[in-house]
Amino acid sequence: MSRSRRLVHAAVGGVLALSCTALTAPARAAAAAAEPVGTVRLVTEKRVTVDYPWAGASGFQYRPGTTSVTTVDYPDAVPPAHAGPDDLASGTDVMATRDGQKVVQRHRSTGVSATVTLPSGQAYRAAVGWSVLTLDSTGALHVLRAPDGAVTADTPVTGFPEGARPVVFRTGGSVTRLAIVYVLDGRTSVGLVDLADGAFRTYVTGDEPVPEVAFNDRWLVADWQAVRVDSEPGTQPTALTRTGERLEAVVGDRLLLGNPDFVLGGTEAALTARSLVTGATDTVLPSSFGGIGPTPDGGALATAGPSSLDWNIHRIRLDDNGGLLTTEVARVPAAATAVQGLAAAGGELLLHGATPGGSLRHSGFQLDATGRPTGPQTPRSPGLAAPTCLGGDAACPQLEALGDGRVGHLHTDANGEESVVTVGLDTTTLLSAPTGGDSGGRIAGSTGRYVLYNGASGKQRVVDFPRGATSGTTVLTRDRTAAAVWGQTLWTPGSTQGTATGRNLKTGTTTTVTTGAPCTPTDLQAVNTWLYWTCGGTAGVLDRATNRRITVPADLGPARLADGFLLRENRTTHELLLTDFHSGTATTRTLVELPAADQNTGGSNGRWAVDRFGGHVAYLNGTYGEVSIVGGGVPTSPLAQMEAQVYSPSVIGRSFPWSPVWQLNKPSTWTLTLTNAFGTVVRTLTGSSTAAAVRPAWDGTTDTGGPTSGTHTWKLTAHPRDGQGPDLTLSGTMTLG
């Protein structure tokens, strides 16, 4: 058996249109597939570095990595009353475009333009605002400007040391000055050229061959030495304490420091500000790195955020009191990443992919009752190793959404031994259970706390992951047959043909039903009161609530049972076919047409998934990183309890609350009341289910915050989130202490 991973994607086609059109159930396959009600895009959480091709007073441009340039307008930008080359200060909003020996300048907010023509023998070196700096064949520097918009005026730079060789031309937080790093007699110096009159002045000399430089109209900082721009000639710069951070920009009297060379484990890089007057340091933006730089109006731009899911560009300016004001001005879109597995349960879409960057993770998207995404991508597991994949298995990893917020999958260790793993309730917890040295297995079905595992050894295990557990436990081992788990019941073929037996995994009691199958099933699946069987050539569904037996198609590959319908993929036509049997008669229609590329040839349904706890269907739509959702269009079953974990705590408090779990069959909003022995309601809790599981937490206090003790009656009222069917009411008792 080989281990490999498949990238489940195909970079073809475009984004499908969104629609909330209701689905119908015709008696034969429809000619047109249903439109998706929503589409999500799996993105990497790795934050990208941006650069700024242009920044001005009215807005800026940014480019993440190698992607295209995006232009952002500041909503509060006010065009100046006058702008032009005769007013250097208005150059803070000039965009310059170079074409050979011409530089076209356009003031973005007013539209005023000018064209600077480089004289013969002069080479372009830099431009800022309305000014262009050139170097001629003799080594002399020039400042060019077009004061009337067309005729170029040439101002020679004076004061630049004879014999000096300029090596770096640097713009900063100014449109009236430009920094030049030069080498003379083996030493490196940094100075500023005044663009108004071409006067150059050296401020800092050091030993760094290419020193870091940051400046504005007040300060020049180079090689960790700071000096006022308006200081008397000959003023010695002040040495600054070096850190592992970079000199990013000077805003007012504050030096911005960021992008440290080293960050302690468990901490994040931050953008800090050091006062060049007092030396005081404070944090400007936490979790900030890359994409930090000055703007010509004396401010700065910086990227910051906890991850790429919330990665933003901030504008940094002086406030009215001389402090720093930060404003979020743009959100940087995250890059798409391949969907390597998908699962859906209880109004949640769970996708598996390399979202943290180097490792894999499950990420979740919340869906409303119609299947539309209602929130952002959320991390739902710690970083994970590569999943278990069978040789030639195109549907890898095989995922099983449990309906309680968790997802199960298989992991193989270095010795080739397999474990069943569940994650999903937070970003740190991973619970696993060994399979006794088995390998090459499959997850055959799961709900809530129970996972059904089929090992290549021929053994079948039911693994229990109960509330509060630190690992999974095998509660039943048997010879492998067709089987299904729903709630706390394990369904297997009965002892006589045409029957199936349900075993209560908590009590061990059994019940037998008649399926009418003319064979020993090769597959069993259970959802609510529906029990599906197939023998390969024939298939049927038993409605245990009414004892109706319904014949369903069995002419294609593996099928997936949902609440009131069956899904099958025609791997020749790429149609995903839905058979609706909720009324007692089976009718089949084309739900969606899957992309021809990325065709699945494995035994599982690796490119689509169905929510057995809600009825939505998710599928790879053919665009890299994208998954679309469509409703099944079949009425859901009434709200019901599948399993419950209610107990009486020995100790209770805020750090260790009473945390029962009621596993329901679909999402709900709920109210839990606790009544003391005197019949007084002491506490009322409300919330929404985690997928289809109700998970309240009570710290033992009353609604007013006081203590309570003794035996309490609890009453849970759950309202179906999809609005279909009546509320569900459950009750019982628990004792504190």
Side-chain angles (χ1 to χ4, degrees), residues 215-248:
F215 68 95
N216 63 1
D217 285 328
R218 297 188 191 182
W219 294 89
L220 169 68
V221 182
D223 194 20
W224 289 88
Q225 300 176 70
V227 61
R228 286 279 306 198
V229 171
D230 59 0
S231 61
E232 291 294 326
T235 300
Q236 292 300 306
T238 301
L240 304 177
T241 302
R242 291 177 181 265
T243 69
E245 299 164 293
R246 314 296 296 176
L247 308 180
E248 300 292 357

PDB file of all heavy atoms in Angstrom, residues 215-248:
ATOM      1  N   PHE A 215      13.661  58.772   6.211  1.00  0.00           N
ATOM      2  CA  PHE A 215      13.673  60.214   6.439  1.00  0.00           C
ATOM      3  C   PHE A 215      12.319  60.833   6.119  1.00  0.00           C
ATOM      4  O   PHE A 215      11.481  60.238   5.429  1.00  0.00           O
ATOM      5  CB  PHE A 215      14.765  60.890   5.604  1.00  0.00           C
ATOM      6  CG  PHE A 215      14.506  60.871   4.120  1.00  0.00           C
ATOM      7  CD1 PHE A 215      13.890  61.944   3.491  1.00  0.00           C
ATOM      8  CD2 PHE A 215      14.877  59.780   3.338  1.00  0.00           C
ATOM      9  CE1 PHE A 215      13.649  61.938   2.122  1.00  0.00           C
ATOM     10  CE2 PHE A 215      14.643  59.766   1.975  1.00  0.00           C
ATOM     11  CZ  PHE A 215      14.027  60.846   1.360  1.00  0.00           C
ATOM     12  N   ASN A 216      12.147  62.021   6.648  1.00  0.00           N
ATOM     13  CA  ASN A 216      11.037  62.885   6.257  1.00  0.00           C
ATOM     14  C   ASN A 216      11.562  64.321   6.235  1.00  0.00           C
ATOM     15  O   ASN A 216      12.785  64.529   6.166  1.00  0.00           O
ATOM     16  CB  ASN A 216       9.831  62.704   7.185  1.00  0.00           C
ATOM     17  CG  ASN A 216      10.118  63.089   8.625  1.00  0.00           C
ATOM     18  OD1 ASN A 216      11.219  63.527   8.964  1.00  0.00           O
ATOM     19  ND2 ASN A 216       9.122  62.928   9.490  1.00  0.00           N
ATOM     20  N   ASP A 217      10.686  65.308   6.312  1.00  0.00           N
ATOM     21  CA  ASP A 217      11.150  66.697   6.259  1.00  0.00           C
ATOM     22  C   ASP A 217      11.736  67.173   7.585  1.00  0.00           C
ATOM     23  O   ASP A 217      12.241  68.291   7.666  1.00  0.00           O
ATOM     24  CB  ASP A 217      10.006  67.624   5.840  1.00  0.00           C
ATOM     25  CG  ASP A 217       9.707  67.505   4.349  1.00  0.00           C
ATOM     26  OD1 ASP A 217      10.644  67.248   3.582  1.00  0.00           O
ATOM     27  OD2 ASP A 217       8.524  67.649   3.963  1.00  0.00           O
ATOM     28  N   ARG A 218      11.685  66.317   8.627  1.00  0.00           N
ATOM     29  CA  ARG A 218      12.239  66.694   9.925  1.00  0.00           C
ATOM     30  C   ARG A 218      13.547  65.958  10.236  1.00  0.00           C
ATOM     31  O   ARG A 218      14.472  66.542  10.783  1.00  0.00           O
ATOM     32  CB  ARG A 218      11.239  66.388  11.042  1.00  0.00           C
ATOM     33  CG  ARG A 218       9.947  67.159  10.979  1.00  0.00           C
ATOM     34  CD  ARG A 218       9.137  66.900  12.249  1.00  0.00           C
ATOM     35  NE  ARG A 218       7.779  67.402  12.143  1.00  0.00           N
ATOM     36  CZ  ARG A 218       6.887  67.338  13.127  1.00  0.00           C
ATOM     37  NH1 ARG A 218       7.227  66.788  14.283  1.00  0.00           N
ATOM     38  NH2 ARG A 218       5.677  67.813  12.960  1.00  0.00           N
ATOM     39  N   TRP A 219      13.575  64.672   9.906  1.00  0.00           N
ATOM     40  CA  TRP A 219      14.675  63.827  10.360  1.00  0.00           C
ATOM     41  C   TRP A 219      15.230  62.979   9.226  1.00  0.00           C
ATOM     42  O   TRP A 219      14.493  62.551   8.334  1.00  0.00           O
ATOM     43  CB  TRP A 219      14.198  62.865  11.460  1.00  0.00           C
ATOM     44  CG  TRP A 219      13.794  63.515  12.740  1.00  0.00           C
ATOM     45  CD1 TRP A 219      12.556  63.978  13.076  1.00  0.00           C
ATOM     46  CD2 TRP A 219      14.631  63.766  13.874  1.00  0.00           C
ATOM     47  NE1 TRP A 219      12.556  64.498  14.332  1.00  0.00           N
ATOM     48  CE2 TRP A 219      13.830  64.378  14.861  1.00  0.00           C
ATOM     49  CE3 TRP A 219      15.981  63.529  14.151  1.00  0.00           C
ATOM     50  CZ2 TRP A 219      14.327  64.752  16.098  1.00  0.00           C
ATOM     51  CZ3 TRP A 219      16.479  63.902  15.397  1.00  0.00           C
ATOM     52  CH2 TRP A 219      15.664  64.518  16.350  1.00  0.00           C
ATOM     53  N   LEU A 220      16.538  62.703   9.350  1.00  0.00           N
ATOM     54  CA  LEU A 220      17.188  61.677   8.536  1.00  0.00           C
ATOM     55  C   LEU A 220      17.782  60.659   9.502  1.00  0.00           C
ATOM     56  O   LEU A 220      18.498  61.023  10.448  1.00  0.00           O
ATOM     57  CB  LEU A 220      18.308  62.261   7.671  1.00  0.00           C
ATOM     58  CG  LEU A 220      19.219  61.223   6.984  1.00  0.00           C
ATOM     59  CD1 LEU A 220      18.456  60.458   5.911  1.00  0.00           C
ATOM     60  CD2 LEU A 220      20.456  61.893   6.396  1.00  0.00           C
ATOM     61  N   VAL A 221      17.451  59.381   9.267  1.00  0.00           N
ATOM     62  CA  VAL A 221      18.034  58.289  10.045  1.00  0.00           C
ATOM     63  C   VAL A 221      18.732  57.366   9.055  1.00  0.00           C
ATOM     64  O   VAL A 221      18.107  56.871   8.109  1.00  0.00           O
ATOM     65  CB  VAL A 221      16.976  57.511  10.849  1.00  0.00           C
ATOM     66  CG1 VAL A 221      17.642  56.421  11.688  1.00  0.00           C
ATOM     67  CG2 VAL A 221      16.169  58.449  11.734  1.00  0.00           C
ATOM     68  N   ALA A 222      20.039  57.177   9.260  1.00  0.00           N
ATOM     69  CA  ALA A 222      20.816  56.311   8.377  1.00  0.00           C
ATOM     70  C   ALA A 222      21.862  55.594   9.211  1.00  0.00           C
ATOM     71  O   ALA A 222      22.506  56.204  10.078  1.00  0.00           O
ATOM     72  CB  ALA A 222      21.478  57.116   7.266  1.00  0.00           C
ATOM     73  N   ASP A 223      22.016  54.302   8.949  1.00  0.00           N
ATOM     74  CA  ASP A 223      23.019  53.510   9.665  1.00  0.00           C
ATOM     75  C   ASP A 223      22.832  53.654  11.181  1.00  0.00           C
ATOM     76  O   ASP A 223      23.797  53.721  11.934  1.00  0.00           O
ATOM     77  CB  ASP A 223      24.428  53.948   9.246  1.00  0.00           C
ATOM     78  CG  ASP A 223      25.496  52.944   9.675  1.00  0.00           C
ATOM     79  OD1 ASP A 223      25.130  51.775   9.935  1.00  0.00           O
ATOM     80  OD2 ASP A 223      26.663  53.353   9.769  1.00  0.00           O
ATOM     81  N   TRP A 224      21.556  53.716  11.631  1.00  0.00           N
ATOM     82  CA  TRP A 224      21.195  53.828  13.041  1.00  0.00           C
ATOM     83  C   TRP A 224      21.794  55.084  13.677  1.00  0.00           C
ATOM     84  O   TRP A 224      22.197  55.094  14.841  1.00  0.00           O
ATOM     85  CB  TRP A 224      21.590  52.565  13.817  1.00  0.00           C
ATOM     86  CG  TRP A 224      20.711  51.406  13.435  1.00  0.00           C
ATOM     87  CD1 TRP A 224      20.928  50.544  12.402  1.00  0.00           C
ATOM     88  CD2 TRP A 224      19.472  51.042  14.028  1.00  0.00           C
ATOM     89  NE1 TRP A 224      19.887  49.640  12.313  1.00  0.00           N
ATOM     90  CE2 TRP A 224      18.982  49.915  13.313  1.00  0.00           C
ATOM     91  CE3 TRP A 224      18.730  51.530  15.094  1.00  0.00           C
ATOM     92  CZ2 TRP A 224      17.786  49.291  13.629  1.00  0.00           C
ATOM     93  CZ3 TRP A 224      17.532  50.900  15.423  1.00  0.00           C
ATOM     94  CH2 TRP A 224      17.072  49.799  14.693  1.00  0.00           C
ATOM     95  N   GLN A 225      21.831  56.150  12.879  1.00  0.00           N
ATOM     96  CA  GLN A 225      22.214  57.461  13.376  1.00  0.00           C
ATOM     97  C   GLN A 225      21.148  58.454  12.932  1.00  0.00           C
ATOM     98  O   GLN A 225      20.701  58.410  11.775  1.00  0.00           O
ATOM     99  CB  GLN A 225      23.588  57.881  12.834  1.00  0.00           C
ATOM    100  CG  GLN A 225      24.723  56.937  13.204  1.00  0.00           C
ATOM    101  CD  GLN A 225      26.024  57.361  12.561  1.00  0.00           C
ATOM    102  OE1 GLN A 225      26.607  58.385  12.930  1.00  0.00           O
ATOM    103  NE2 GLN A 225      26.481  56.586  11.577  1.00  0.00           N
ATOM    104  N   ALA A 226      20.723  59.315  13.834  1.00  0.00           N
ATOM    105  CA  ALA A 226      19.623  60.241  13.557  1.00  0.00           C
ATOM    106  C   ALA A 226      20.099  61.673  13.672  1.00  0.00           C
ATOM    107  O   ALA A 226      20.886  62.020  14.567  1.00  0.00           O
ATOM    108  CB  ALA A 226      18.470  59.992  14.529  1.00  0.00           C
ATOM    109  N   VAL A 227      19.604  62.535  12.777  1.00  0.00           N
ATOM    110  CA  VAL A 227      19.967  63.942  12.806  1.00  0.00           C
ATOM    111  C   VAL A 227      18.805  64.752  12.251  1.00  0.00           C
ATOM    112  O   VAL A 227      18.098  64.318  11.331  1.00  0.00           O
ATOM    113  CB  VAL A 227      21.257  64.198  11.984  1.00  0.00           C
ATOM    114  CG1 VAL A 227      21.059  63.817  10.534  1.00  0.00           C
ATOM    115  CG2 VAL A 227      21.722  65.643  12.123  1.00  0.00           C
ATOM    116  N   ARG A 228      18.576  65.916  12.839  1.00  0.00           N
ATOM    117  CA  ARG A 228      17.540  66.809  12.336  1.00  0.00           C
ATOM    118  C   ARG A 228      17.957  67.358  10.980  1.00  0.00           C
ATOM    119  O   ARG A 228      19.118  67.743  10.761  1.00  0.00           O
ATOM    120  CB  ARG A 228      17.336  67.976  13.292  1.00  0.00           C
ATOM    121  CG  ARG A 228      16.598  67.638  14.569  1.00  0.00           C
ATOM    122  CD  ARG A 228      15.103  67.597  14.405  1.00  0.00           C
ATOM    123  NE  ARG A 228      14.537  68.803  13.826  1.00  0.00           N
ATOM    124  CZ  ARG A 228      13.247  69.117  13.907  1.00  0.00           C
ATOM    125  NH1 ARG A 228      12.401  68.312  14.554  1.00  0.00           N
ATOM    126  NH2 ARG A 228      12.780  70.211  13.346  1.00  0.00           N
ATOM    127  N   VAL A 229      17.016  67.414  10.055  1.00  0.00           N
ATOM    128  CA  VAL A 229      17.296  67.923   8.719  1.00  0.00           C
ATOM    129  C   VAL A 229      17.662  69.408   8.774  1.00  0.00           C
ATOM    130  O   VAL A 229      18.505  69.879   7.990  1.00  0.00           O
ATOM    131  CB  VAL A 229      16.076  67.683   7.799  1.00  0.00           C
ATOM    132  CG1 VAL A 229      16.247  68.403   6.470  1.00  0.00           C
ATOM    133  CG2 VAL A 229      15.863  66.186   7.580  1.00  0.00           C
ATOM    134  N   ASP A 230      17.046  70.156   9.718  1.00  0.00           N
ATOM    135  CA  ASP A 230      17.298  71.596   9.800  1.00  0.00           C
ATOM    136  C   ASP A 230      18.400  71.959  10.793  1.00  0.00           C
ATOM    137  O   ASP A 230      18.544  73.125  11.182  1.00  0.00           O
ATOM    138  CB  ASP A 230      16.013  72.332  10.168  1.00  0.00           C
ATOM    139  CG  ASP A 230      15.433  71.854  11.506  1.00  0.00           C
ATOM    140  OD1 ASP A 230      16.040  70.961  12.140  1.00  0.00           O
ATOM    141  OD2 ASP A 230      14.371  72.374  11.910  1.00  0.00           O
ATOM    142  N   SER A 231      19.199  70.961  11.214  1.00  0.00           N
ATOM    143  CA  SER A 231      20.285  71.246  12.157  1.00  0.00           C
ATOM    144  C   SER A 231      21.398  72.039  11.468  1.00  0.00           C
ATOM    145  O   SER A 231      21.499  72.073  10.237  1.00  0.00           O
ATOM    146  CB  SER A 231      20.848  69.943  12.726  1.00  0.00           C
ATOM    147  OG  SER A 231      21.382  69.141  11.680  1.00  0.00           O
ATOM    148  N   GLU A 232      22.232  72.670  12.273  1.00  0.00           N
ATOM    149  CA  GLU A 232      23.333  73.453  11.734  1.00  0.00           C
ATOM    150  C   GLU A 232      24.323  72.536  11.013  1.00  0.00           C
ATOM    151  O   GLU A 232      24.556  71.399  11.444  1.00  0.00           O
ATOM    152  CB  GLU A 232      24.059  74.190  12.865  1.00  0.00           C
ATOM    153  CG  GLU A 232      23.251  75.310  13.500  1.00  0.00           C
ATOM    154  CD  GLU A 232      23.011  76.439  12.520  1.00  0.00           C
ATOM    155  OE1 GLU A 232      23.895  76.703  11.669  1.00  0.00           O
ATOM    156  OE2 GLU A 232      21.920  77.061  12.589  1.00  0.00           O
ATOM    157  N   PRO A 233      24.919  72.994   9.918  1.00  0.00           N
ATOM    158  CA  PRO A 233      25.931  72.188   9.243  1.00  0.00           C
ATOM    159  C   PRO A 233      27.034  71.773  10.226  1.00  0.00           C
ATOM    160  O   PRO A 233      27.452  72.566  11.078  1.00  0.00           O
ATOM    161  CB  PRO A 233      26.468  73.122   8.154  1.00  0.00           C
ATOM    162  CG  PRO A 233      25.335  74.058   7.894  1.00  0.00           C
ATOM    163  CD  PRO A 233      24.668  74.276   9.208  1.00  0.00           C
ATOM    164  N   GLY A 234      27.465  70.532  10.096  1.00  0.00           N
ATOM    165  CA  GLY A 234      28.495  70.008  10.992  1.00  0.00           C
ATOM    166  C   GLY A 234      27.940  69.345  12.231  1.00  0.00           C
ATOM    167  O   GLY A 234      28.706  68.771  13.025  1.00  0.00           O
ATOM    168  N   THR A 235      26.603  69.405  12.430  1.00  0.00           N
ATOM    169  CA  THR A 235      25.995  68.749  13.589  1.00  0.00           C
ATOM    170  C   THR A 235      26.192  67.243  13.494  1.00  0.00           C
ATOM    171  O   THR A 235      25.890  66.625  12.462  1.00  0.00           O
ATOM    172  CB  THR A 235      24.495  69.058  13.670  1.00  0.00           C
ATOM    173  OG1 THR A 235      24.328  70.476  13.778  1.00  0.00           O
ATOM    174  CG2 THR A 235      23.855  68.362  14.858  1.00  0.00           C
ATOM    175  N   GLN A 236      26.730  66.663  14.568  1.00  0.00           N
ATOM    176  CA  GLN A 236      26.957  65.226  14.572  1.00  0.00           C
ATOM    177  C   GLN A 236      25.647  64.484  14.861  1.00  0.00           C
ATOM    178  O   GLN A 236      24.888  64.866  15.767  1.00  0.00           O
ATOM    179  CB  GLN A 236      28.000  64.856  15.631  1.00  0.00           C
ATOM    180  CG  GLN A 236      29.394  65.354  15.311  1.00  0.00           C
ATOM    181  CD  GLN A 236      29.900  64.779  13.993  1.00  0.00           C
ATOM    182  OE1 GLN A 236      29.907  63.565  13.788  1.00  0.00           O
ATOM    183  NE2 GLN A 236      30.312  65.674  13.088  1.00  0.00           N
ATOM    184  N   PRO A 237      25.375  63.422  14.105  1.00  0.00           N
ATOM    185  CA  PRO A 237      24.146  62.659  14.359  1.00  0.00           C
ATOM    186  C   PRO A 237      24.214  61.923  15.694  1.00  0.00           C
ATOM    187  O   PRO A 237      25.293  61.654  16.218  1.00  0.00           O
ATOM    188  CB  PRO A 237      24.081  61.690  13.183  1.00  0.00           C
ATOM    189  CG  PRO A 237      25.492  61.548  12.733  1.00  0.00           C
ATOM    190  CD  PRO A 237      26.150  62.870  12.977  1.00  0.00           C
ATOM    191  N   THR A 238      23.046  61.598  16.215  1.00  0.00           N
ATOM    192  CA  THR A 238      22.930  60.854  17.465  1.00  0.00           C
ATOM    193  C   THR A 238      22.837  59.361  17.160  1.00  0.00           C
ATOM    194  O   THR A 238      21.993  58.940  16.358  1.00  0.00           O
ATOM    195  CB  THR A 238      21.681  61.291  18.251  1.00  0.00           C
ATOM    196  OG1 THR A 238      21.789  62.690  18.530  1.00  0.00           O
ATOM    197  CG2 THR A 238      21.549  60.515  19.546  1.00  0.00           C
ATOM    198  N   ALA A 239      23.725  58.574  17.797  1.00  0.00           N
ATOM    199  CA  ALA A 239      23.694  57.123  17.595  1.00  0.00           C
ATOM    200  C   ALA A 239      22.483  56.528  18.304  1.00  0.00           C
ATOM    201  O   ALA A 239      22.182  56.869  19.454  1.00  0.00           O
ATOM    202  CB  ALA A 239      24.980  56.487  18.114  1.00  0.00           C
ATOM    203  N   LEU A 240      21.783  55.653  17.623  1.00  0.00           N
ATOM    204  CA  LEU A 240      20.626  54.959  18.186  1.00  0.00           C
ATOM    205  C   LEU A 240      21.010  53.534  18.561  1.00  0.00           C
ATOM    206  O   LEU A 240      21.869  52.920  17.919  1.00  0.00           O
ATOM    207  CB  LEU A 240      19.477  54.927  17.175  1.00  0.00           C
ATOM    208  CG  LEU A 240      19.004  56.274  16.628  1.00  0.00           C
ATOM    209  CD1 LEU A 240      17.908  56.040  15.592  1.00  0.00           C
ATOM    210  CD2 LEU A 240      18.505  57.172  17.748  1.00  0.00           C
ATOM    211  N   THR A 241      20.361  53.011  19.583  1.00  0.00           N
ATOM    212  CA  THR A 241      20.595  51.617  19.964  1.00  0.00           C
ATOM    213  C   THR A 241      20.069  50.710  18.864  1.00  0.00           C
ATOM    214  O   THR A 241      18.893  50.777  18.490  1.00  0.00           O
ATOM    215  CB  THR A 241      19.891  51.292  21.288  1.00  0.00           C
ATOM    216  OG1 THR A 241      20.375  52.172  22.302  1.00  0.00           O
ATOM    217  CG2 THR A 241      20.160  49.850  21.692  1.00  0.00           C
ATOM    218  N   ARG A 242      20.928  49.864  18.357  1.00  0.00           N
ATOM    219  CA  ARG A 242      20.531  48.963  17.277  1.00  0.00           C
ATOM    220  C   ARG A 242      19.663  47.825  17.813  1.00  0.00           C
ATOM    221  O   ARG A 242      19.886  47.318  18.910  1.00  0.00           O
ATOM    222  CB  ARG A 242      21.762  48.372  16.591  1.00  0.00           C
ATOM    223  CG  ARG A 242      22.576  49.381  15.787  1.00  0.00           C
ATOM    224  CD  ARG A 242      23.812  48.733  15.203  1.00  0.00           C
ATOM    225  NE  ARG A 242      24.611  49.682  14.442  1.00  0.00           N
ATOM    226  CZ  ARG A 242      24.517  49.845  13.129  1.00  0.00           C
ATOM    227  NH1 ARG A 242      23.658  49.107  12.433  1.00  0.00           N
ATOM    228  NH2 ARG A 242      25.281  50.728  12.505  1.00  0.00           N
ATOM    229  N   THR A 243      18.698  47.448  17.014  1.00  0.00           N
ATOM    230  CA  THR A 243      17.884  46.256  17.289  1.00  0.00           C
ATOM    231  C   THR A 243      17.890  45.406  16.028  1.00  0.00           C
ATOM    232  O   THR A 243      18.489  45.770  15.021  1.00  0.00           O
ATOM    233  CB  THR A 243      16.428  46.653  17.641  1.00  0.00           C
ATOM    234  OG1 THR A 243      15.791  47.182  16.476  1.00  0.00           O
ATOM    235  CG2 THR A 243      16.404  47.684  18.751  1.00  0.00           C
ATOM    236  N   GLY A 244      17.232  44.289  16.094  1.00  0.00           N
ATOM    237  CA  GLY A 244      17.142  43.437  14.908  1.00  0.00           C
ATOM    238  C   GLY A 244      16.050  43.862  13.963  1.00  0.00           C
ATOM    239  O   GLY A 244      15.721  43.133  13.014  1.00  0.00           O
ATOM    240  N   GLU A 245      15.460  45.046  14.181  1.00  0.00           N
ATOM    241  CA  GLU A 245      14.381  45.532  13.328  1.00  0.00           C
ATOM    242  C   GLU A 245      14.933  46.393  12.194  1.00  0.00           C
ATOM    243  O   GLU A 245      16.082  46.807  12.211  1.00  0.00           O
ATOM    244  CB  GLU A 245      13.391  46.341  14.173  1.00  0.00           C
ATOM    245  CG  GLU A 245      12.733  45.533  15.282  1.00  0.00           C
ATOM    246  CD  GLU A 245      12.086  46.426  16.309  1.00  0.00           C
ATOM    247  OE1 GLU A 245      12.814  47.148  17.016  1.00  0.00           O
ATOM    248  OE2 GLU A 245      10.843  46.406  16.407  1.00  0.00           O
ATOM    249  N   ARG A 246      14.068  46.664  11.227  1.00  0.00           N
ATOM    250  CA  ARG A 246      14.437  47.477  10.081  1.00  0.00           C
ATOM    251  C   ARG A 246      13.961  48.911  10.275  1.00  0.00           C
ATOM    252  O   ARG A 246      12.933  49.163  10.906  1.00  0.00           O
ATOM    253  CB  ARG A 246      13.817  46.923   8.793  1.00  0.00           C
ATOM    254  CG  ARG A 246      13.952  45.426   8.605  1.00  0.00           C
ATOM    255  CD  ARG A 246      15.397  45.005   8.471  1.00  0.00           C
ATOM    256  NE  ARG A 246      16.026  45.564   7.274  1.00  0.00           N
ATOM    257  CZ  ARG A 246      17.309  45.390   6.985  1.00  0.00           C
ATOM    258  NH1 ARG A 246      18.099  44.694   7.803  1.00  0.00           N
ATOM    259  NH2 ARG A 246      17.820  45.913   5.882  1.00  0.00           N
ATOM    260  N   LEU A 247      14.717  49.855   9.712  1.00  0.00           N
ATOM    261  CA  LEU A 247      14.285  51.251   9.701  1.00  0.00           C
ATOM    262  C   LEU A 247      13.258  51.414   8.589  1.00  0.00           C
ATOM    263  O   LEU A 247      13.593  51.416   7.404  1.00  0.00           O
ATOM    264  CB  LEU A 247      15.481  52.177   9.444  1.00  0.00           C
ATOM    265  CG  LEU A 247      16.717  51.998  10.334  1.00  0.00           C
ATOM    266  CD1 LEU A 247      17.797  53.001   9.933  1.00  0.00           C
ATOM    267  CD2 LEU A 247      16.357  52.167  11.799  1.00  0.00           C
ATOM    268  N   GLU A 248      11.977  51.540   8.945  1.00  0.00           N
ATOM    269  CA  GLU A 248      10.915  51.499   7.946  1.00  0.00           C
ATOM    270  C   GLU A 248      10.509  52.891   7.453  1.00  0.00           C
ATOM    271  O   GLU A 248      10.327  53.096   6.263  1.00  0.00           O
ATOM    272  CB  GLU A 248       9.684  50.780   8.506  1.00  0.00           C
ATOM    273  CG  GLU A 248       9.935  49.333   8.934  1.00  0.00           C
ATOM    274  CD  GLU A 248      10.239  48.403   7.776  1.00  0.00           C
ATOM    275  OE1 GLU A 248      10.216  48.851   6.611  1.00  0.00           O
ATOM    276  OE2 GLU A 248      10.507  47.223   8.021  1.00  0.00           O
TER     277      GLU A 248
END
